[in-house]
């Protein structure tokens, strides 16, 4: 199991080359030959430097393509004729690239977290304050918990590892039960809650509220794990209690303008609870590369990337947006959309062969219509749009792993629980806070379908849609299967009312296109190369001994 066991030498390099995140003062580069040396962990700064890779490099392979490929492609948000088609068409196999890249990335996070936890525990010097030592360990346990939550939602039973060095030359490790994995995740997050500071020690670092928000998400997921058609009330109660504590006491607040959430200048804003931190000019893997795959052309990146012309919103996703929903423009570009804070290179009508730079006015394809609603979210534009902080395949816009808006909707869903609908005043308050920010009228009651739709629109292209369906499948598989089976991912044509500053669009579709789905689709296949090296992965899972 090369990607699980043999990451130690790689992680030494990763730790040694970790760079600052979204803020220049976020982290410092540790000495290249000292990160796993017993003499390294002697000061608070060294402890903090040791946790640097947990915020970027080890997540890179997941963030690069797998997050939107699995989270949005399989979740029904995306359509394409070529890019991510295995995932979009629910035909993911054991050799689909995102299967191995995500598996490998998550176990990279686990391995780096274990290395950090064990080294700080073993080597932290007497001059390191206890709270700093515990914070470093808590950061490791938090990241390990998040990685394992993704692992078990995608693969179910997976091996639980708390010290990779124990298994460097051992291929007998077997999978542990899903119940064990979730208990492991909860224990790690509880430790993180108790040992992370209430206020971020450096801009972009996680806090106790980050752990509490993730723990609320975990209880909401686990509440349906019994598969009996209902959700466990005690887990729902825990999710609501934790979510409300974050909302009431963290000091976090919703950004007033949804579109502003995805501007580089607003990295680590008041709504962010946990974000991956990137640096555009750091070593490879410390940057956010997603603009390269999502932007529709190089004219809006200023470099030779921008390969997203064949990717866009699914028709199913477009049908969810009401005309007044501000989130559509922030998530997907329609022809005639105008972005004052982004620019493009266009032909100069007065100088053939020359280009001029102007504010981005999304074009159609010279036929009067577009066949894609191109991706906007995490597409931040050219260097001049980002204080120069863009290069080829490199931006430093942070990746949201959890925002306060999700915690609002977690509370609402946890209160809804097993009821058909709810008019609970507090649940409605939080739901409507998210809903009204999008420019929509508040509602007087909510159902599961209302919350599901709100999450699809609020978190489109943030890699969450698939996981919402997985957790639904835990307790209502028929409903989850039905949602996916009816998602229209076919082709369409978008005609704007004007090519400059459009205000309305006519969308017509060709033959509806859906793809068959079955129970087997709710578990990703284990990567082929892992199975060839670790046949014990095929054995039945066993409970973990805590």
């Amino acid at each position: 199991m090369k990607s699980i066991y043999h990451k130690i030498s790689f992680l030494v390099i990763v730790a040694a080359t970790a760079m600052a995140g979204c803020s220049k003062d976020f982290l410092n580069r540790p000495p290249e030959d000292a990160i796993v040396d017993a003499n390294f962990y002697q000061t608070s700064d060294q402890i903090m430097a040791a946790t640097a890779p947990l915020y970027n490099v080890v997540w890179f392979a997941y963030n690069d393509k797998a997050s939107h490929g699995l989270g949005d492609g399989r979740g029904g948000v995306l359509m394409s004729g070529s890019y991510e088609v295995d995932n979009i068409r629910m035909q993911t196999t054991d050799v689909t690239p995102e299967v191995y890249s995500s598996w490998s990335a998550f176990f990279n996070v686990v391995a780096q977290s274990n290395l950090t936890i064990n080294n700080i525990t073993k080597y932290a010097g007497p001059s390191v304050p206890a709270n700093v030592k515990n914070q470093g360990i808590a950061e490791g346990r938090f990241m390990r918990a998040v990685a394992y939550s993704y692992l078990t939602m995608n693969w179910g039973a997976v091996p639980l590892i708390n010290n990779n060095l124990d298994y460097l030359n051992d291929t007998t490790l077997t999978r542990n039960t899903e119940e064990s994995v979730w208990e492991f995740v909860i224990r790690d997050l509880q430790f993180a809650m108790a040992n992370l500071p209430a206020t971020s020690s450096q801009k972009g670092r996680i806090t106790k509220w980050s752990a509490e928000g993730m723990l609320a998400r975990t209880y909401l997921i686990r509440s349906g794990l019994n598969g009996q058609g209902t959700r466990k009330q005690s887990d729902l109660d825990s999710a609501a209690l934790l979510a409300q504590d974050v909302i009431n006491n963290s000091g976090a607040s919703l950004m007033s303008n949804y579109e502003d959430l995805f501007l580089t200048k607003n990295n680590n804003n008041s709504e962010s609870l946990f974000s991956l931190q990137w640096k555009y000019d750091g070593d490879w893997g410390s940057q956010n590369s997603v603009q390269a795959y999502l932007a529709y052309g190089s004219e809006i990146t200023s470099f030779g990337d921008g390969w997203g012309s064949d990717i866009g919103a699914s028709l199913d996703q477009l049908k969810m947006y009401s005309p007044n929903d501000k989130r559509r423009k922030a998530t997907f570009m329609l022809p005639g959309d105008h972005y004052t804070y982004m620019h493009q290179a266009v032909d100069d009508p007065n100088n053939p062969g020359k280009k001029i730079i102007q504010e981005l006015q999304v074009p159609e394809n010279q036929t009067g219509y577009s066949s894609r609603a191109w991706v906007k979210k995490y597409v931040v534009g050219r260097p001049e749009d980002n204080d120069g902080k863009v290069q080829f395949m490199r931006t430093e816009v942070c990746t949201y792993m959890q925002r306060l808006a999700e915690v609002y909707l977690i509370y609402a869903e946890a209160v809804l629980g097993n009821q058909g609908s709810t008019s609970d005043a507090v649940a409605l308050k939080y739901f409507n806070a998210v809903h009204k920010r999008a420019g929509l009228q508040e509602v007087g009651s909510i159902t599961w379908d209302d919350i599901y739709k709100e999450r699809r629109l609020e978190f489109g292209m943030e890699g969450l849609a698939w996981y919402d369906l997985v957790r639904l499948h835990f307790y209502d598989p028929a409903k989850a299967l039905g949602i996916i089976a009816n998602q229209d991912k076919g082709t369409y044509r978008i005609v704007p009312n004007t090519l400059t500053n459009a205000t309305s669009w006519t969308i017509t579709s060709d033959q509806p296109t859906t793809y068959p789905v079955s129970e087997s689709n709710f578990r990703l296949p284990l990567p082929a190369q892992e199975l060839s090296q670790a046949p014990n992965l095929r054995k039945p899972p066993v409970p973990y001994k805590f």
Side-chain angles (χ1 to χ4, degrees), residues 208-220:
K208 67 168 288 186
W209 310 110
S210 311
E212 196 165 5
M214 278 293 175
L215 189 55
R217 178 197 285 181
T218 300
Y219 277 119
L220 185 66

Side-chain angles (χ1 to χ4, degrees), residues 258 321 327-332 374-377 460-461:
Y258 182 82
Y321 292 107
R327 294 173 293 199
R328 195 280 304 158
K329 186 182 177 185
T331 310
F332 295 104
W374 289 310
V375 178
K376 165 60 180 70
K377 194 175 286 187
M461 295 309 301

Side-chain angles (χ1 to χ4, degrees), residues 316 481-488 514-515 517:
D316 187 75
L481 285 163
I483 289 174
I484 299 175
N486 288 294
Q487 289 175 341
D488 189 347
T514 59
Y515 296 96
V517 62

Side-chain angles (χ1 to χ4, degrees), residues 356-369:
I356 58 174
I357 305 300
Q358 65 180 33
E359 289 183 355
L360 177 58
Q361 190 77 48
V362 181
E364 42 77 30
N365 65 356
Q366 310 304 316
T367 60
Y369 67 88

Side-chain angles (χ1 to χ4, degrees), residues 243-307:
Q244 190 160 43
D245 192 38
V246 174
I247 295 166
N248 290 343
N249 299 310
S250 67
S253 60
L254 296 184
M255 293 278 284
S256 59
N257 182 22
Y258 182 82
E259 197 167 347
D260 288 346
L261 282 162
F262 307 99
L263 304 182
T264 306
K265 68 179 182 180
N266 292 327
N267 282 338
N268 299 311
N269 55 67
S270 64
E271 190 169 330
S272 178
L273 291 173
F274 169 36
S275 297
L276 301 182
Q277 308 289 307
W278 306 107
K279 185 170 175 59
Y280 84 103
D281 58 351
D283 295 298
W284 182 261
S286 67
Q287 87 282 15
N288 194 337
S289 59
V290 298
Q291 172 167 273
Y293 309 108
L294 301 182
Y296 70 72
S298 59
E299 59 266 41
I300 59 172
T301 70
S302 189
F303 298 96
D305 54 3
W307 306 309

